[in-house]
Every structure is written in structure tokens, then in C-alpha cells.
Amino acid sequence: MTLVGRHLVQPADFSVEEIESVLDLGLRIKEDPSKYIRVAEGKLLATLFYEPSTRTRLSFEAAMNRLGGRIIGFSDPGASSVSKGESLEDTITTVSNYVDVIAMRHPISGAAIQASKACKIPFINAGDGKNQHPTQTLTDLLTIKACRGQLNNLTIAMCGDLKYGRTVHSLAKAMSRYTDTKFIFIAPDELKMPEEVLNDIEGINYEQTASLEEAIGKCDILYMTRVQRERFEDKAQYERLKDTYILDVEKMSKAKENMLVLHPLPRVNEIAVEVDQDPRAKYFEQAQYGMYVRMALIMKLLGIGE
Ligand code: CP
């Protein structure tokens, strides 16, 4: 089925085959970006960011610029008519009169599906609260595919804030559709993977532990996450939990030689800077894959230039 005109609110909106087609195009773009510099000429992307971002917003904007398209939008909702009380639906309906595709980030879980229902052009969820972050998942999948050459038969450990981290919710659901995936969820009791995500991956082999040291030698991918300060009501609890896991050179010495360390970023303390020199640390490369996969996604949704 074609992806032209579709919305992306969560990874399950696309079939495995459709995701593969985006990843394959992302890899082709990375091989020779010069082939694609004009394909989106005359097209406009709106980036509507109701919550802070570095990678997602700037990689979307870099992606559209590198395709020859143009961008409008806001990164401070206080400077838009949202500050006058305009509804999400009215904002989306209005902006969809001006542009060809919208990428929106919002602090409220469920805002993306709500916005997509009001959107008559392709709508991309760029992260909604603690719910989903599907373009981060496309980024993660492309990084794994490029660096490991496969998405099947992998043991993926996810470590840190599995309760509030939307990236791990999306990635767990997406990876559960590949053959022989195994998960190790590493979190303290307060930040364990939510039941609804565990229900969604029913039938998939997973274990839960609080020990990074025990798990690190068993995984092919170690997906580190930040404890999400902005989602805690109890700030004292955040302070207590924020440094539960710190990946350092000593812990890396217990990992497989071909293990990959991924992180959606931003990093706070959970990966020591000394790990950046380890060839298994792929998180900055991952951020670059994010731009290529967003170029591919924009092209697919707009039906341009392949
Ligand atoms: N990975 C990610 O979503 O980063 P930003 O919050 O900087 O966009």
C-alpha cells in the first residue's frame, strides 16, 4: 500500500514492509544525498513544536531543506495563537491550508491522534508526551539496520526511564514485529515498562531486571535513556532516580564486542563521556540517521522523487 497522504502517529500505523521501504530509501539517500536535493522543490513542511527539541525539529528542518523544500512553524507555542486559547484542532486545520505536511511535538499524550484527525494533509507525530515517538523509532531501526545489517534475531536491552520514555514505548512495539526479537527491560521499580506496552508485545520473549551489570553481556543492542525530569510530579523522586544507571568504560568491558550502544539523546548523566570513544557507541551517528530517515519519510508521504 502506498504511504502517500498517510499520517504517522505510532509505528504500527505502517506495516513492516512499509517501514522497510522508508528505511531502504533512507539508506539510498545517505549513500548519495546529492541525488535528492531538488525533489521537494515547491513543497512546504510545518514544524509545530509545543515542547522543546533539538534533534527532532532540526533534523526535520534539515531534511526538508536538503530535499529542496521549505519550512514554516514555531518552536515556542507562546509566540503563536495557542497563547490566545486557540484549540489544537483549529491550529492544525489552519496550518494544513498553508503547507503540504505537518510534524508536531506536544507534551500531552494523545495530542498526536487528536491533531491527526483534524489534519487533511500528511501528519507526523514528532513525540506526544510519554506516549509515542515514531520518527525516533524509524531513526533507531535505520541505525540498527545500517550498523548490524539486520533487524531480526536481536536481543535489545532498554535501560533507564521505561515508564515515561516515549522512545522505548515506540521501539518496543516496532521491534516486536521482527523475527526472534528478545527484550531485556532494565529499570528500577518506579520506572518499569508500563503494562500497556507489555500487553502490546505479548508473545515476545522478554525479561525485566534492575541490574545493568547483569544484562549488559547478554544484549546485541543497549538502548540507554534519560530519566525524563519534565514528566515527574514528585521532583524529589526524580532526584533520587536520575543517576540510577551510568554506563561507563568499566561496564562496557562486560559487553559483547559487536554490541551497539544507542540513545535517542539528549544525554544527561546516563552515559559517561568516556564511552563516546568506544566504536560501539553509535548515538551521534544515530542522530544523523534521523535526518536521512526523515528525508525518506517526507518523500514517501508526499509521493515525490524516488
Ligand atoms: N531524540 C529526541 O527526540 O531528541 P529531541 O528532544 O532533542 O528532539
Side-chain angles (χ1 to χ4, degrees):
M1 209 169 127
T2 177
L3 289 176
V4 178
R6 300 261 292 274
H7 299 326
L8 177 61
V9 173
Q10 57 179 342
D13 292 341
F14 291 1
S15 68
V16 171
E17 292 72 27
E18 288 166 342
I19 286 178
E20 286 293 318
S21 77
V22 176
L23 303 184
D24 288 344
L25 179 57
L27 287 175
R28 291 203 299 279
I29 295 170
K30 185 173 190 290
E31 265 168 35
D32 189 356
S34 67
K35 278 190 184 163
Y36 302 89
I37 55 176
R38 294 218 141 110
V39 294
E41 256 178 8
K43 300 292 183 186
L44 265 173
L45 163 73
T47 54
L48 310 182
F49 275 62
Y50 293 79
E51 192 182 62
S53 166
T54 296
R55 275 144 294 274
T56 310
R57 184 172 67 83
L58 295 182
S59 64
F60 261 119
E61 296 187 358
M64 195 55 165
N65 275 305
R66 283 175 179 273
L67 293 172
R70 306 185 85 169
I71 295 139
I72 61 169
F74 56 76
S75 55
D76 172 13
S80 75
S81 285
V82 172
S83 64
K84 300 174 200 162
E86 186 171 55
S87 71
L88 186 58
E89 285 85 350
D90 285 0
T91 301
I92 295 293
T93 302
T94 303
V95 175
S96 61
N97 287 317
Y98 304 149
V99 302
D100 302 288
V101 53
I102 292 176
M104 184 194 84
R105 170 170 290 188
H106 202 286
I108 299 175
S109 299
I113 186 77
Q114 184 189 341
S116 72
K117 286 179 180 161
C119 196
K120 57 190 180 197
I121 57 170
F123 173 89
I124 304 168
N125 178 9
D128 63 326
K130 61 182 166 62
N131 187 32
Q132 297 287 320
H133 194 345
T135 62
Q136 181 64 50
T137 298
L138 292 176
T139 300
D140 304 337
L141 296 178
L142 184 60
T143 308
I144 296 169
K145 190 176 165 87
C147 297
R148 286 294 296 236
Q150 68 191 68
L151 288 163
N152 297 312
N153 301 306
L154 293 172
T155 297
I156 302 168
M158 300 184 181
C159 177
D161 185 349
L162 308 187
K163 178 180 179 184
Y164 296 118
R166 57 193 171 203
T167 62
V168 287
H169 301 163
S170 287
L171 184 59
K173 289 186 192 183
M175 282 303 301
S176 71
R177 300 197 290 179
Y178 290 89
T179 307
D180 289 334
T181 297
K182 187 179 170 206
F183 295 112
I184 308 175
F185 298 129
I186 310 165
D189 275 351
E190 297 90 334
L191 300 177
K192 284 170 84 170
M193 191 61 99
E195 281 301 318
E196 65 259 30
V197 179
L198 298 179
N199 290 339
D200 275 350
I201 62 162
E202 203 183 351
I204 305 301
N205 189 346
Y206 73 84
E207 61 183 271
Q208 302 195 74
T209 175
S211 171
L212 173 56
E213 286 83 349
E214 272 177 27
I216 195 165
K218 298 194 273 187
C219 59
D220 302 306
I221 314 287
L222 175 59
Y223 196 93
M224 295 296 295
T225 64
R226 166 181 76 92
V227 178
Q228 306 261 306
R229 182 181 59 192
E230 65 275 28
R231 316 247 180 255
F232 279 75
E233 284 172 16
D234 179 351
K235 297 300 172 197
Q237 188 187 49
Y238 167 74
E239 289 298 324
R240 189 164 47 76
L241 294 172
K242 67 179 184 184
D243 292 330
T244 307
Y245 302 108
I246 299 178
L247 181 66
D248 56 16
V249 164
E250 195 199 329
K251 291 191 188 80
M252 286 294 287
S253 71
K254 299 185 175 75
K256 292 181 185 175
E257 276 182 16
N258 64 348
M259 185 193 75
L260 305 179
V261 184
L262 303 186
H263 190 311
L265 304 178
R267 152 177 68 182
V268 187
N269 281 330
E270 59 282 353
I271 302 179
V273 172
E274 63 188 13
V275 177
D276 297 359
Q277 305 311 317
D278 191 307
R280 295 170 291 183
K282 298 291 183 191
Y283 27 90
F284 290 113
E285 227 175 287
Q286 184 184 357
Q288 191 189 44
Y289 280 115
M291 179 182 71
Y292 291 121
V293 90
R294 289 179 175 104
M295 290 170 79
L297 177 64
I298 291 167
M299 287 176 61
K300 290 281 181 185
L301 298 184
L302 296 180
I304 53 174
E306 271 197 74

PDB file of all heavy atoms in Angstrom, residues 49 51-59 105 126-127 133 135-136 166-167 223 226 230 263-266 294, ligand 1:
ATOM      1  N   PHE A  49       6.117  22.835  17.214  1.00  0.00           N
ATOM      2  CA  PHE A  49       6.733  22.231  18.401  1.00  0.00           C
ATOM      3  C   PHE A  49       6.253  22.939  19.652  1.00  0.00           C
ATOM      4  O   PHE A  49       6.648  24.069  19.932  1.00  0.00           O
ATOM      5  CB  PHE A  49       8.263  22.208  18.265  1.00  0.00           C
ATOM      6  CG  PHE A  49       8.739  21.002  17.499  1.00  0.00           C
ATOM      7  CD1 PHE A  49       8.361  20.804  16.180  1.00  0.00           C
ATOM      8  CD2 PHE A  49       9.518  20.032  18.108  1.00  0.00           C
ATOM      9  CE1 PHE A  49       8.754  19.668  15.477  1.00  0.00           C
ATOM     10  CE2 PHE A  49       9.924  18.895  17.416  1.00  0.00           C
ATOM     11  CZ  PHE A  49       9.546  18.714  16.098  1.00  0.00           C
ATOM     12  N   GLU A  51       6.793  21.682  22.558  1.00  0.00           N
ATOM     13  CA  GLU A  51       7.682  21.173  23.601  1.00  0.00           C
ATOM     14  C   GLU A  51       9.120  21.268  23.056  1.00  0.00           C
ATOM     15  O   GLU A  51       9.322  21.131  21.856  1.00  0.00           O
ATOM     16  CB  GLU A  51       7.326  19.701  23.879  1.00  0.00           C
ATOM     17  CG  GLU A  51       7.948  19.118  25.114  1.00  0.00           C
ATOM     18  CD  GLU A  51       7.578  17.654  25.287  1.00  0.00           C
ATOM     19  OE1 GLU A  51       7.904  16.820  24.433  1.00  0.00           O
ATOM     20  OE2 GLU A  51       6.957  17.344  26.320  1.00  0.00           O
ATOM     21  N   PRO A  52      10.127  21.479  23.943  1.00  0.00           N
ATOM     22  CA  PRO A  52      11.497  21.660  23.432  1.00  0.00           C
ATOM     23  C   PRO A  52      12.023  20.466  22.644  1.00  0.00           C
ATOM     24  O   PRO A  52      11.629  19.318  22.873  1.00  0.00           O
ATOM     25  CB  PRO A  52      12.319  21.849  24.719  1.00  0.00           C
ATOM     26  CG  PRO A  52      11.357  22.307  25.751  1.00  0.00           C
ATOM     27  CD  PRO A  52      10.047  21.648  25.414  1.00  0.00           C
ATOM     28  N   SER A  53      12.924  20.770  21.727  1.00  0.00           N
ATOM     29  CA  SER A  53      13.552  19.731  20.912  1.00  0.00           C
ATOM     30  C   SER A  53      14.824  20.306  20.291  1.00  0.00           C
ATOM     31  O   SER A  53      14.854  21.489  19.944  1.00  0.00           O
ATOM     32  CB  SER A  53      12.602  19.310  19.786  1.00  0.00           C
ATOM     33  OG  SER A  53      13.271  18.554  18.808  1.00  0.00           O
ATOM     34  N   THR A  54      15.829  19.480  20.142  1.00  0.00           N
ATOM     35  CA  THR A  54      16.982  19.835  19.304  1.00  0.00           C
ATOM     36  C   THR A  54      16.979  18.942  18.067  1.00  0.00           C
ATOM     37  O   THR A  54      16.829  19.406  16.935  1.00  0.00           O
ATOM     38  CB  THR A  54      18.302  19.678  20.085  1.00  0.00           C
ATOM     39  OG1 THR A  54      18.291  20.608  21.176  1.00  0.00           O
ATOM     40  CG2 THR A  54      19.509  19.951  19.192  1.00  0.00           C
ATOM     41  N   ARG A  55      17.123  17.626  18.284  1.00  0.00           N
ATOM     42  CA  ARG A  55      17.295  16.706  17.171  1.00  0.00           C
ATOM     43  C   ARG A  55      16.068  16.604  16.266  1.00  0.00           C
ATOM     44  O   ARG A  55      16.183  16.668  15.047  1.00  0.00           O
ATOM     45  CB  ARG A  55      17.611  15.280  17.675  1.00  0.00           C
ATOM     46  CG  ARG A  55      19.051  15.038  17.963  1.00  0.00           C
ATOM     47  CD  ARG A  55      19.174  14.141  19.156  1.00  0.00           C
ATOM     48  NE  ARG A  55      18.664  14.844  20.308  1.00  0.00           N
ATOM     49  CZ  ARG A  55      19.416  15.664  21.050  1.00  0.00           C
ATOM     50  NH1 ARG A  55      20.666  15.802  20.794  1.00  0.00           N
ATOM     51  NH2 ARG A  55      18.899  16.341  22.059  1.00  0.00           N
ATOM     52  N   THR A  56      14.908  16.406  16.852  1.00  0.00           N
ATOM     53  CA  THR A  56      13.747  16.085  16.012  1.00  0.00           C
ATOM     54  C   THR A  56      13.382  17.283  15.135  1.00  0.00           C
ATOM     55  O   THR A  56      13.220  17.154  13.918  1.00  0.00           O
ATOM     56  CB  THR A  56      12.564  15.657  16.890  1.00  0.00           C
ATOM     57  OG1 THR A  56      13.014  14.654  17.796  1.00  0.00           O
ATOM     58  CG2 THR A  56      11.431  15.098  16.043  1.00  0.00           C
ATOM     59  N   ARG A  57      13.292  18.461  15.763  1.00  0.00           N
ATOM     60  CA  ARG A  57      12.907  19.637  14.964  1.00  0.00           C
ATOM     61  C   ARG A  57      13.990  19.977  13.935  1.00  0.00           C
ATOM     62  O   ARG A  57      13.700  20.157  12.747  1.00  0.00           O
ATOM     63  CB  ARG A  57      12.632  20.841  15.863  1.00  0.00           C
ATOM     64  CG  ARG A  57      12.124  22.051  15.079  1.00  0.00           C
ATOM     65  CD  ARG A  57      11.658  23.176  15.983  1.00  0.00           C
ATOM     66  NE  ARG A  57      12.710  23.789  16.728  1.00  0.00           N
ATOM     67  CZ  ARG A  57      13.538  24.749  16.282  1.00  0.00           C
ATOM     68  NH1 ARG A  57      13.409  25.205  15.041  1.00  0.00           N
ATOM     69  NH2 ARG A  57      14.475  25.254  17.043  1.00  0.00           N
ATOM     70  N   LEU A  58      15.236  20.034  14.396  1.00  0.00           N
ATOM     71  CA  LEU A  58      16.282  20.462  13.458  1.00  0.00           C
ATOM     72  C   LEU A  58      16.544  19.410  12.382  1.00  0.00           C
ATOM     73  O   LEU A  58      16.878  19.755  11.245  1.00  0.00           O
ATOM     74  CB  LEU A  58      17.562  20.812  14.225  1.00  0.00           C
ATOM     75  CG  LEU A  58      17.422  22.024  15.160  1.00  0.00           C
ATOM     76  CD1 LEU A  58      18.751  22.329  15.843  1.00  0.00           C
ATOM     77  CD2 LEU A  58      16.931  23.257  14.419  1.00  0.00           C
ATOM     78  N   SER A  59      16.371  18.134  12.718  1.00  0.00           N
ATOM     79  CA  SER A  59      16.582  17.123  11.661  1.00  0.00           C
ATOM     80  C   SER A  59      15.434  17.131  10.657  1.00  0.00           C
ATOM     81  O   SER A  59      15.650  16.910   9.457  1.00  0.00           O
ATOM     82  CB  SER A  59      16.792  15.725  12.247  1.00  0.00           C
ATOM     83  OG  SER A  59      15.651  15.280  12.911  1.00  0.00           O
ATOM     84  N   ARG A 105       5.184  18.199  17.684  1.00  0.00           N
ATOM     85  CA  ARG A 105       5.511  17.651  19.006  1.00  0.00           C
ATOM     86  C   ARG A 105       4.631  18.341  20.033  1.00  0.00           C
ATOM     87  O   ARG A 105       4.407  19.559  19.965  1.00  0.00           O
ATOM     88  CB  ARG A 105       6.978  17.878  19.352  1.00  0.00           C
ATOM     89  CG  ARG A 105       7.271  17.526  20.808  1.00  0.00           C
ATOM     90  CD  ARG A 105       8.722  17.512  21.122  1.00  0.00           C
ATOM     91  NE  ARG A 105       9.361  16.377  20.475  1.00  0.00           N
ATOM     92  CZ  ARG A 105      10.634  16.024  20.696  1.00  0.00           C
ATOM     93  NH1 ARG A 105      11.375  16.713  21.543  1.00  0.00           N
ATOM     94  NH2 ARG A 105      11.155  14.978  20.093  1.00  0.00           N
ATOM     95  N   ALA A 126       5.784  13.980  16.109  1.00  0.00           N
ATOM     96  CA  ALA A 126       7.203  14.160  16.455  1.00  0.00           C
ATOM     97  C   ALA A 126       7.422  13.988  17.961  1.00  0.00           C
ATOM     98  O   ALA A 126       8.409  14.470  18.507  1.00  0.00           O
ATOM     99  CB  ALA A 126       7.667  15.539  15.987  1.00  0.00           C
ATOM    100  N   GLY A 127       6.493  13.238  18.591  1.00  0.00           N
ATOM    101  CA  GLY A 127       6.582  12.957  20.032  1.00  0.00           C
ATOM    102  C   GLY A 127       5.402  13.567  20.754  1.00  0.00           C
ATOM    103  O   GLY A 127       5.218  14.786  20.692  1.00  0.00           O
ATOM    104  N   HIS A 133       6.864   8.111  19.858  1.00  0.00           N
ATOM    105  CA  HIS A 133       7.809   8.952  19.110  1.00  0.00           C
ATOM    106  C   HIS A 133       8.225   8.154  17.866  1.00  0.00           C
ATOM    107  O   HIS A 133       9.343   7.641  17.771  1.00  0.00           O
ATOM    108  CB  HIS A 133       9.013   9.268  19.997  1.00  0.00           C
ATOM    109  CG  HIS A 133       9.895  10.373  19.502  1.00  0.00           C
ATOM    110  ND1 HIS A 133       9.849  10.871  18.215  1.00  0.00           N
ATOM    111  CD2 HIS A 133      10.872  11.086  20.144  1.00  0.00           C
ATOM    112  CE1 HIS A 133      10.749  11.828  18.083  1.00  0.00           C
ATOM    113  NE2 HIS A 133      11.383  11.976  19.230  1.00  0.00           N
ATOM    114  N   THR A 135       9.043   8.735  14.719  1.00  0.00           N
ATOM    115  CA  THR A 135      10.184   9.023  13.828  1.00  0.00           C
ATOM    116  C   THR A 135      11.506   8.756  14.538  1.00  0.00           C
ATOM    117  O   THR A 135      12.523   8.517  13.887  1.00  0.00           O
ATOM    118  CB  THR A 135      10.161  10.457  13.241  1.00  0.00           C
ATOM    119  OG1 THR A 135      10.253  11.428  14.291  1.00  0.00           O
ATOM    120  CG2 THR A 135       8.900  10.690  12.427  1.00  0.00           C
ATOM    121  N   GLN A 136      11.511   8.770  15.885  1.00  0.00           N
ATOM    122  CA  GLN A 136      12.702   8.299  16.597  1.00  0.00           C
ATOM    123  C   GLN A 136      12.870   6.801  16.359  1.00  0.00           C
ATOM    124  O   GLN A 136      13.981   6.300  16.164  1.00  0.00           O
ATOM    125  CB  GLN A 136      12.595   8.603  18.092  1.00  0.00           C
ATOM    126  CG  GLN A 136      13.829   8.154  18.883  1.00  0.00           C
ATOM    127  CD  GLN A 136      15.089   8.891  18.473  1.00  0.00           C
ATOM    128  OE1 GLN A 136      15.088  10.111  18.402  1.00  0.00           O
ATOM    129  NE2 GLN A 136      16.179   8.163  18.205  1.00  0.00           N
ATOM    130  N   ARG A 166       8.991   7.884  25.838  1.00  0.00           N
ATOM    131  CA  ARG A 166       8.144   7.531  24.683  1.00  0.00           C
ATOM    132  C   ARG A 166       8.951   6.787  23.618  1.00  0.00           C
ATOM    133  O   ARG A 166       8.394   5.987  22.860  1.00  0.00           O
ATOM    134  CB  ARG A 166       7.504   8.793  24.098  1.00  0.00           C
ATOM    135  CG  ARG A 166       8.497   9.874  23.675  1.00  0.00           C
ATOM    136  CD  ARG A 166       7.791  11.203  23.420  1.00  0.00           C
ATOM    137  NE  ARG A 166       8.741  12.288  23.230  1.00  0.00           N
ATOM    138  CZ  ARG A 166       8.457  13.570  23.430  1.00  0.00           C
ATOM    139  NH1 ARG A 166       7.253  13.925  23.848  1.00  0.00           N
ATOM    140  NH2 ARG A 166       9.340  14.510  23.214  1.00  0.00           N
ATOM    141  N   THR A 167      10.267   7.029  23.553  1.00  0.00           N
ATOM    142  CA  THR A 167      11.061   6.356  22.512  1.00  0.00           C
ATOM    143  C   THR A 167      11.064   4.846  22.721  1.00  0.00           C
ATOM    144  O   THR A 167      10.973   4.088  21.762  1.00  0.00           O
ATOM    145  CB  THR A 167      12.510   6.872  22.489  1.00  0.00           C
ATOM    146  OG1 THR A 167      13.136   6.583  23.738  1.00  0.00           O
ATOM    147  CG2 THR A 167      12.568   8.368  22.228  1.00  0.00           C
ATOM    148  N   TYR A 223      20.025   0.095  24.578  1.00  0.00           N
ATOM    149  CA  TYR A 223      19.332   1.364  24.293  1.00  0.00           C
ATOM    150  C   TYR A 223      19.188   2.122  25.605  1.00  0.00           C
ATOM    151  O   TYR A 223      18.326   1.813  26.423  1.00  0.00           O
ATOM    152  CB  TYR A 223      17.971   1.063  23.664  1.00  0.00           C
ATOM    153  CG  TYR A 223      17.299   2.240  22.978  1.00  0.00           C
ATOM    154  CD1 TYR A 223      17.485   2.461  21.610  1.00  0.00           C
ATOM    155  CD2 TYR A 223      16.482   3.123  23.674  1.00  0.00           C
ATOM    156  CE1 TYR A 223      16.874   3.521  20.963  1.00  0.00           C
ATOM    157  CE2 TYR A 223      15.874   4.187  23.039  1.00  0.00           C
ATOM    158  CZ  TYR A 223      16.073   4.381  21.676  1.00  0.00           C
ATOM    159  OH  TYR A 223      15.456   5.441  21.036  1.00  0.00           O
ATOM    160  N   ARG A 226      17.393   8.652  29.061  1.00  0.00           N
ATOM    161  CA  ARG A 226      17.449   9.680  30.107  1.00  0.00           C
ATOM    162  C   ARG A 226      16.245   9.532  31.026  1.00  0.00           C
ATOM    163  O   ARG A 226      15.145   9.204  30.565  1.00  0.00           O
ATOM    164  CB  ARG A 226      17.402  11.025  29.372  1.00  0.00           C
ATOM    165  CG  ARG A 226      17.132  12.248  30.136  1.00  0.00           C
ATOM    166  CD  ARG A 226      17.115  13.446  29.178  1.00  0.00           C
ATOM    167  NE  ARG A 226      15.897  13.533  28.373  1.00  0.00           N
ATOM    168  CZ  ARG A 226      14.811  14.220  28.721  1.00  0.00           C
ATOM    169  NH1 ARG A 226      14.774  14.903  29.843  1.00  0.00           N
ATOM    170  NH2 ARG A 226      13.756  14.254  27.919  1.00  0.00           N
ATOM    171  N   GLU A 230      11.039  16.219  33.157  1.00  0.00           N
ATOM    172  CA  GLU A 230       9.853  17.042  32.910  1.00  0.00           C
ATOM    173  C   GLU A 230       8.541  16.296  33.138  1.00  0.00           C
ATOM    174  O   GLU A 230       7.482  16.914  33.185  1.00  0.00           O
ATOM    175  CB  GLU A 230       9.905  17.644  31.501  1.00  0.00           C
ATOM    176  CG  GLU A 230       9.845  16.645  30.335  1.00  0.00           C
ATOM    177  CD  GLU A 230      11.211  16.036  29.953  1.00  0.00           C
ATOM    178  OE1 GLU A 230      12.093  15.933  30.822  1.00  0.00           O
ATOM    179  OE2 GLU A 230      11.355  15.652  28.779  1.00  0.00           O
ATOM    180  N   HIS A 263      21.113   5.691  21.952  1.00  0.00           N
ATOM    181  CA  HIS A 263      20.454   6.603  22.900  1.00  0.00           C
ATOM    182  C   HIS A 263      19.727   7.625  22.034  1.00  0.00           C
ATOM    183  O   HIS A 263      20.336   8.177  21.109  1.00  0.00           O
ATOM    184  CB  HIS A 263      21.507   7.276  23.787  1.00  0.00           C
ATOM    185  CG  HIS A 263      20.950   8.045  24.965  1.00  0.00           C
ATOM    186  ND1 HIS A 263      19.922   8.964  24.846  1.00  0.00           N
ATOM    187  CD2 HIS A 263      21.289   8.043  26.276  1.00  0.00           C
ATOM    188  CE1 HIS A 263      19.649   9.483  26.043  1.00  0.00           C
ATOM    189  NE2 HIS A 263      20.457   8.927  26.927  1.00  0.00           N
ATOM    190  N   PRO A 264      18.460   7.901  22.317  1.00  0.00           N
ATOM    191  CA  PRO A 264      17.768   8.892  21.463  1.00  0.00           C
ATOM    192  C   PRO A 264      18.332  10.291  21.651  1.00  0.00           C
ATOM    193  O   PRO A 264      18.119  11.158  20.799  1.00  0.00           O
ATOM    194  CB  PRO A 264      16.309   8.797  21.934  1.00  0.00           C
ATOM    195  CG  PRO A 264      16.375   8.257  23.325  1.00  0.00           C
ATOM    196  CD  PRO A 264      17.568   7.339  23.354  1.00  0.00           C
ATOM    197  N   LEU A 265      19.023  10.519  22.771  1.00  0.00           N
ATOM    198  CA  LEU A 265      19.540  11.832  23.156  1.00  0.00           C
ATOM    199  C   LEU A 265      18.354  12.791  23.390  1.00  0.00           C
ATOM    200  O   LEU A 265      17.284  12.574  22.829  1.00  0.00           O
ATOM    201  CB  LEU A 265      20.526  12.371  22.129  1.00  0.00           C
ATOM    202  CG  LEU A 265      21.727  11.449  21.810  1.00  0.00           C
ATOM    203  CD1 LEU A 265      22.586  12.101  20.723  1.00  0.00           C
ATOM    204  CD2 LEU A 265      22.575  11.168  23.054  1.00  0.00           C
ATOM    205  N   PRO A 266      18.446  13.806  24.206  1.00  0.00           N
ATOM    206  CA  PRO A 266      19.655  14.277  24.854  1.00  0.00           C
ATOM    207  C   PRO A 266      20.106  13.362  25.993  1.00  0.00           C
ATOM    208  O   PRO A 266      19.288  12.736  26.654  1.00  0.00           O
ATOM    209  CB  PRO A 266      19.251  15.649  25.409  1.00  0.00           C
ATOM    210  CG  PRO A 266      17.774  15.547  25.638  1.00  0.00           C
ATOM    211  CD  PRO A 266      17.270  14.653  24.551  1.00  0.00           C
ATOM    212  N   ARG A 294      14.137  10.884   8.040  1.00  0.00           N
ATOM    213  CA  ARG A 294      13.057  11.888   7.916  1.00  0.00           C
ATOM    214  C   ARG A 294      12.975  12.413   6.476  1.00  0.00           C
ATOM    215  O   ARG A 294      11.886  12.713   5.998  1.00  0.00           O
ATOM    216  CB  ARG A 294      13.252  12.998   8.951  1.00  0.00           C
ATOM    217  CG  ARG A 294      12.962  12.478  10.361  1.00  0.00           C
ATOM    218  CD  ARG A 294      13.155  13.513  11.465  1.00  0.00           C
ATOM    219  NE  ARG A 294      12.755  12.957  12.744  1.00  0.00           N
ATOM    220  CZ  ARG A 294      13.609  12.538  13.713  1.00  0.00           C
ATOM    221  NH1 ARG A 294      14.902  12.663  13.562  1.00  0.00           N
ATOM    222  NH2 ARG A 294      13.132  12.013  14.827  1.00  0.00           N
TER     223      ARG A 294
HETATM  224  N1   CP B   1      15.581  12.268  20.366  1.00  0.00           N
HETATM  225  C1   CP B   1      14.845  13.378  20.502  1.00  0.00           C
HETATM  226  O1   CP B   1      13.616  13.372  20.401  1.00  0.00           O
HETATM  227  O2   CP B   1      15.587  14.500  20.771  1.00  0.00           O
HETATM  228  P1   CP B   1      14.993  15.960  20.891  1.00  0.00           P
HETATM  229  O3   CP B   1      14.105  16.000  22.111  1.00  0.00           O
HETATM  230  O4   CP B   1      16.185  16.864  21.011  1.00  0.00           O
HETATM  231  O5   CP B   1      14.174  16.240  19.650  1.00  0.00           O
END
